Structure formats: C-alpha cells, structure tokens
Amino acid sequence: MEKLTFYALSAPEKLDRIGAYLSERLIRDVSRHRYGYVCIAMEALDQLLMACHCQSINLFVESFLKMVAKLLESEKPNLQILGTNSFVKFANIEEDTPSYHRSYDFFVSRFSEMCHSSHDDLDIRTKIRMSGIKGLQGVVRKTVNDELQANIWDPQHMDKIVPSLLFNLQHVEEAESRSPSPLQATEKEKESPTELAERCLRELLGRAAYGNIKNAIKPVLIHLDNHSLWEPKIFATCCFRIIMYSIQPQHSHLVIQQLLGHLDANSKSAATVRAGIVEVLSEAAVIAASGSVGPTVLEVFNTLLRQLRLSIDYALTGSYDCGAGVGTKIIKEHEERMFQEAVIKTIGSFASTLPTYQQSEVMVFIMNKVPLPSSQQSIEAGKAGENRNRLTQIMLLKSLLQVSVGFQCSNMLTALPSAFLDRLLSSALMEDAEIRLFVLEILISFIDRHGNRQKFSTISTISDISVLKLKVDKCSRQDTVFMKKHGQQLYRHIYLICKEESNVQSHYEALYSMLMLISIELANEEVVVDLIRLVLAVQEIAQINEDNLTAYNRCALFALGAAYLNLISQLITVPTFCQHIHEVIQMRQKEAPYLLPEDVFVEKPTLSKSLDRLGPEVFFWQSKISEVLGGSGYNLDRLSTPYIPQLTDEDRLSKRKSIGETISLQVEVESRNSPEREQRAPAEEITYETLKKAIVDSVAVEEQERERRRQVVEKFQKAPFEEIAAHCGARATLLQSKLNQIFEITIRPPPSPSGTITAAYGQPQNHSIPVYEMKFPDLCVY
C-alpha cells in the first residue's frame, strides 16, 4: 500500500488507471462473494483518496463512486455499511477543482432507502439506518457548497432527504431503553438514529439560503399531513422548534408564511388538525419574533382571524360547505371551540413578542374586523346572521383582550387612538352582557400599567387602603391630555353600562376596577371630581329607578358607589370627606347592610324590596360632598353640578333613543344631503386659492358642523312636543308629496307596441300592474 501510494503521488496522471483497475477487481470480487478482497480493494481506494489531493483526482473519483454504488446495491448489510463509510470519508475531502459531470441522484435515493430499513434484526436495522443518515449528510456536505453540482435543494432530492430524516426522528426504537448504561457504552454506541437524524436536519437547514427554505419546509408539511402527525402535535411542534432554531434568523418569516399557507390549504380539515397547525404556528411565531418577522405580521393575524371566522361558520352550519347541505365530515362543536381557543391563544402569544408600535397596529387591525351596528356593512340580518355576528364579536374581542394583556405603553394617547377607542366603546353599548364584559376587561388592561388590577378583583369597603400596597405614580402630561380628550366619553359609557339590567357580579367588579384604575393611573384633581359626580349619578340611577332595574341591580349600584367612594376618600385624604363617607357606610351597616358590597357581591346576596322607602341618612349627598371638598380647594361649581352624560351621534344608532327622534334626525340630515340640493349648487371653479382656503377653513367648518349637529340633537331633546310634531309633520308631508309624484309616474302603463291593448270585446283598455309587482327605484324605498 505504501509503494502504491508513493507511485500514485509521484505519477498523478496514472491515478485514473489505478482507480479503474481497482474498481474492476472489486466489482468482480463482489459478484464472486469474495468479501475479503472487497474490503482490501475498498481500503486501498480510501487510502489513495485520502493521500492524493491533486487536480487529477476527478477521474479517480468516478471509479471510486462506481465502486461505492456497487457496494450500496448489494443485499449484504455489511457491504452497504462499508460503502457508506467510504463515501462519508470522501465527502469530508475538500476538492480543489469543481466537478462538472458528477451525479449524486443514485446516492440520495439509496441512502434514503437505507434510512427506512426494516431489517428483522434490530441491531442491523439500526446500523443500516444510521449509515443511511450519515450518507445523506455526506451528500449534503459534498453538494451544498459546490455550485456546479446537481442542486441538492431541488424538490426531487428534498422530497427524499427530509422525510427520511423525519422518519428517524419520529421512530425512537424500543432498544434505547435496553441499551447498556452510559458508563459502559462508548460515545459512538450511545448515538441513536434519532439524535443523528436531528443533527443532520439541523445541518441541512443551517446551510439553506433564502431561495431554498421553501423546498426544505414543504416536505416537512407533507410528511406531517401524510402520517397524521398534527393531531397529537407533540412531534410537529418538536420538528418546527428544530427548524426555527436551525435556519438563519432572517429567514424565519418564510417558515411562518409556509405555515400560514398550509393552514389556509387545510381550511376544511378536521378541527384537531387545524388546531395542531395553529399551535405549531404559535411556537414558530414566538421563536421567529426574536429574529425578523418583517412583512408577515399583519398577514399572520389576517390568516388567523379568517380561520376564526370560518370556524364560527362551521360550528353554526355543521358543514364545511357553509350551509350547502350536509358536510362530508361530521363537525364536532367542542372541537371547533378548542380550535378557536387555540387561535386566540396564538394571537396573544405572538402579539406579546412584538414591539409596542406593532402591537398597537395589530389591535386596530383586529378592532376594525369586529362587526358593529354602527358599520352596517359588517352586520348580517336574520337569526343565523345575529348568531354569527355575536360569535364573531366575542371571538375577536377575546383575541383583542389577549393582545392587550401583554401590552405595555406609558402614553395612553398612542395606546388608544381615537378611531380605535370609538369602535371599542361603541361595542360596550351592545345588549350582549358577555361582549360588554370583554370591552371593560380590554379597557382595564390598557389603563392598568402598574399591575394594580388584581387588588380590585373583589369589591369591599376596607377601612385602611394601605393594605392594598398600591403602586401610584403622578399623572403625566400625556395622561392629562388623554383624559381631557376622552374622559367624558369614558364616563358616559361607564354610566350607560351601569344602567344595563343584564349586568351580573363580574360586570360590577369590572366597573369598580375601571373606576379605581382611572383614579390611580389617569387622575388629576378635575378627573377625581368628575368621577365622584359620575358615581353619585350612578347612585341616582338606583335611587330613582327610571329604567325599572331589578332589586339586585339597584343594590349592586349602591354597593359599587359605597366601595368606590370609600377608597377615593382615603386616596385624596380630606378628613371631612372621609368622615362623611365613613358615617354613611356605618349607617348602612346598621340599617341597610344590603347596600354594601359585603352583602351584595356574595354567592347568595341579601336583598331588600323596600329600596324606595330608605331614609336620607344611607345615601351619599352631592351637596354635602361638594361642601366638604369645596372647602379643601376642589372646584365647588363643578362638584355641585349633577353629572349628565353627553349625547353623541352614536345614540342615533343605539337602542336607547326613541324612533321618532332617530327618524327626525335622519330626515334632517337627508334633507341637507338631498340630490336636489346638490343639483342647485353651481359648479365651482377649483383654483389654487380655493384649495388653500379649503385647507385653512376646514377646522372652522368642522366646528360649525359639530355645533349645528349639537343644536339639532338639543332641539329634539328639549323642544316642546307640539313643535317637534309640527316639524316632523311638515317633513312627512313634503316626503309624501314627493312619493305621490313618483307613484304617479310608476303606475302609468308602459306603452304597448300598438299603443293600446284591445280587449276581447273590442274596447281599448289600459293595462295596470299590481303595486306589489312593481319595481320601484331605490329613491322610493324609505
């Protein structure tokens, strides 16, 4: 061997002839079963290969690969392993010159086949599989950096390599439990096909460039589909954890895109399969967020929300064809619910890893998907539509709550932009109690920036606030601006939610938390005064009871007021104020314990039906509070003014306004925007000056518009009934006269080809169409 090596090194041009001769001998020996000579020939080739790193090695490699292929084709496991070991040694050699004509297709196929070996003997099976994995590792190493080689990332190769590795990852042999103890076993014996496959997969993915990620991930998804591995989801999660940690971080978003596409492709698969994909997506997204998620952020949420919507449809119709008869598969509602919960959890876990500005965008994005009565295009009519709307609202608000829980932002103006807050608060006025509770919880999670929420989870009148260990910071300038801008809107919604009859204990607890958190997080002197006025107005709701609330609702509102005033009096530390609150609470403990939270917010509340016969000493009086706080420097005029909620355009769409007012307002608006009015306006010439003027005057015009709108609302609220009736009557008469004109035009017969239609007895006769068959223009529909 030494002589041969010396000869080959001194005359490298002879290498290819040496290789050809050895190859011929080996092929002959294999066919004659002379395995001793096969081993000698292979060893000779190995040593020559290791020794000769010169430019003429290419021709020698051809003979070498032919011999390895011959060994791998053999049925004998030992020869297969011998061939693989030689190939691995060759793979580790870095060649100086690239090869133009070498093909590894056979080796990829054969090594993949060995990875799936099902030999009867467990030890031999394990050895063959490990050889197969090592062989694939060798092929990857040899080809991945050589641009002139056959592209190993082509689907035809990836579809063999990746499933072979996953197959070995998936099958942990029972023999592992019976293997010798780690002390006895050498390092090589300890390694199993599973560990080797994982290492090979990591190496493969680590070498993947941007354009190759897709080809590497697709076979993984197909393998998981074919072997139903999404449902227990443990293996699928493990696979994607390996993938996400192995690829280069800047390529993470490509894997997320692949998973999202796969989720869409499986839209009509069983809920358990979709839930598995979503769970995997959740894991992958969290890992990817630490790298670069980039453009896929809103795509992730868009796909998840679309799947949520589909799932709601499936659960309601019981069919994957959304109402088109019976589905091919039976849909189990609890499985769909499980899938919906998985989607919501994924939305939350993914959002929590995003930077604040992206979380804010995501929340606006989700809120814009919530169907609201104010946005007529997203509300569906009919019983099924109502169900779908309600479920969609609940699921989306749940998702929003998940995102808001992990949201931390010191500036409330950026956390709650106007458009977002308006939509959120308009859903707080819905009749559905569950939806209202979600809205309150979302607002609480935004306002609570110091983790005080849990300290107000139970409503009580504690005598010493210091036991709560509240974290209080001075109200910042931005928070003051936020409350100036949105404070009245928040108070109004709290007031209106308090009037709802369907409220239960959790609603009052949320309202209490909301009031306390505003007092701690966003309150200056003015806000505290407004909150006290608001709570006194809520007490008045329960006292006067215009809305016919139940005894429980009334007692709950009294108790809510007592608990809030008890804590706020201790926060602002005005002794006379504290004394008045304390006196009223003591009086209630003696005479009306059912007005305190300790008796109302329990499993079996004690209620009283004689709430209308209560004495004045058990109420908090605005005059007394304004007197004691006014003496301590608080705004006396504001304190003594009872709180009346501001009315907004939203009330036109709310159930709380009478139909007469709503129609009148609509007629008022429609008459201003009527087509006739538009026609009368002369065509204005647009010049630079007009544009400049429009920009400058836009603010003033908005102010005038807002004032005009307020006057219209005020007129319909405060004007005498006769005046409103006369105004509406005039409008109705005008509308009726227009309708009569339209009816006259439409009822006239269409001209027939002959001018008239002649009846059987020769008399000409006008042909009239019944009213119910007529097609009226859109303008007629009122």
Side-chain angles (χ1 to χ4, degrees), residues 53-78:
H53 290 266
C54 58
Q55 291 183 342
S56 55
I57 198 174
N58 264 337
L59 296 170
F60 174 65
V61 168
E62 287 304 308
S63 307
F64 170 78
L65 289 178
K66 202 188 290 179
M67 292 163 69
V68 171
K70 186 69 181 173
L71 291 179
L72 292 175
E73 281 173 352
S74 163
E75 292 298 314
K76 297 278 181 186
N78 289 344

Side-chain angles (χ1 to χ4, degrees), residues 171-182:
H171 290 84
V172 181
E173 298 290 356
E174 311 84 44
E176 286 185 22
S177 57
R178 294 188 273 111
S179 64
S181 69

Side-chain angles (χ1 to χ4, degrees), residues 197-254:
E198 184 181 330
R199 214 171 55 225
C200 185
L201 185 62
R202 285 181 189 278
E203 188 181 327
L204 175 73
L205 293 163
R207 291 169 181 266
Y210 183 87
N212 303 326
I213 293 284
K214 195 174 177 183
N215 287 351
I217 303 302
K218 200 174 179 186
V220 178
L221 298 172
I222 293 168
H223 182 83
L224 295 172
D225 281 348
N226 291 346
H227 296 273
S228 308
L229 295 171
W230 292 111
E231 288 174 43
K233 79 178 179 287
I234 299 158
F235 179 70
T237 309
C238 167
C239 276
F240 274 90
R241 209 174 280 137
I242 291 169
I243 291 166
M244 296 309 291
Y245 282 120
S246 301
I247 60 172
Q248 295 166 42
Q250 67 269 28
H251 301 157
S252 301
H253 65 94
L254 292 172

Side-chain angles (χ1 to χ4, degrees), residues 345-575:
K345 182 177 149 230
T346 302
I347 287 172
S349 64
F350 184 39
S352 64
T353 61
L354 298 174
T356 309
Y357 75 92
Q358 275 189 329
Q359 283 182 327
S360 198
E361 281 175 18
V362 165
M363 287 187 286
V364 171
F365 180 73
I366 295 174
M367 194 64 229
N368 286 337
K369 298 262 183 191
V370 178
L372 295 175
S374 54
S375 54
Q376 292 297 333
Q377 74 280 3
S378 56
I379 283 284
E380 297 175 52
K383 187 86 175 104
E386 277 174 33
N387 274 344
R388 187 171 287 112
N389 288 329
R390 182 181 171 275
L391 281 170
T392 307
Q393 285 158 356
I394 286 171
M395 289 301 165
L396 291 174
L397 287 171
K398 259 190 186 180
S399 306
L400 195 56
L401 180 59
Q402 283 283 335
V403 179
S404 66
V405 165
F407 184 68
Q408 286 296 322
C409 182
S410 55
N411 187 349
M412 290 297 290
L413 279 167
T414 53
L416 290 167
S418 296
F420 174 76
L421 190 62
D422 291 346
R423 279 186 71 85
L424 183 62
L425 288 175
S426 65
S427 54
L429 297 182
M430 289 187 184
E431 290 184 50
D432 194 287
E434 197 177 351
I435 290 173
R436 287 201 308 276
L437 186 58
F438 278 127
V439 174
L440 286 171
E441 291 287 348
I442 290 163
L443 285 169
I444 286 166
S445 61
F446 276 119
I447 298 168
D448 180 26
R449 291 167 293 178
H450 293 90
N452 291 315
R453 162 82 172 94
Q454 289 307 315
K455 293 159 190 175
F456 305 120
S457 53
T458 53
I459 309 178
S460 63
T461 51
I462 54 169
S463 54
D464 184 10
I465 197 172
S466 61
V467 298
L468 292 177
K469 295 178 182 165
L470 298 172
K471 293 174 189 167
V472 184
D473 270 358
K474 192 173 181 297
C475 181
S476 68
R477 187 177 157 280
Q478 290 104 322
D479 290 345
T480 308
V481 173
F482 174 78
M483 286 310 285
K484 270 205 168 81
K485 192 176 179 186
H486 298 297
Q488 293 303 323
Q489 204 180 357
L490 284 172
Y491 307 147
R492 178 174 169 277
H493 282 84
I494 291 170
Y495 180 83
L496 292 173
I497 291 170
C498 286
K499 294 173 81 167
E500 291 287 352
E501 199 177 333
S502 55
N503 287 343
V504 292
Q505 183 174 334
S506 50
H507 288 87
Y508 296 113
E509 284 169 353
L511 285 164
Y512 174 65
S513 296
M514 178 102 160
L515 288 166
M516 282 314 304
L517 287 166
I518 292 174
S519 309
I520 291 170
E521 297 276 354
L522 307 168
N524 52 21
E525 202 172 284
E526 194 180 309
V527 172
V528 169
V529 168
D530 282 344
L531 287 169
I532 291 169
R533 288 170 58 223
L534 172 63
V535 169
L536 292 171
V538 167
Q539 177 186 261
E540 201 177 330
I541 294 172
Q543 205 174 339
I544 297 168
N545 197 24
E546 284 179 342
D547 296 275
N548 296 322
L549 297 172
T550 61
Y552 173 75
N553 292 129
R554 292 176 72 187
C555 287
L557 290 178
F558 282 126
L560 175 69
Y564 175 73
L565 289 171
N566 172 56
L567 278 191
I568 199 73
S569 66
Q570 294 180 56
L571 271 175
I572 60 177
T573 59
V574 175

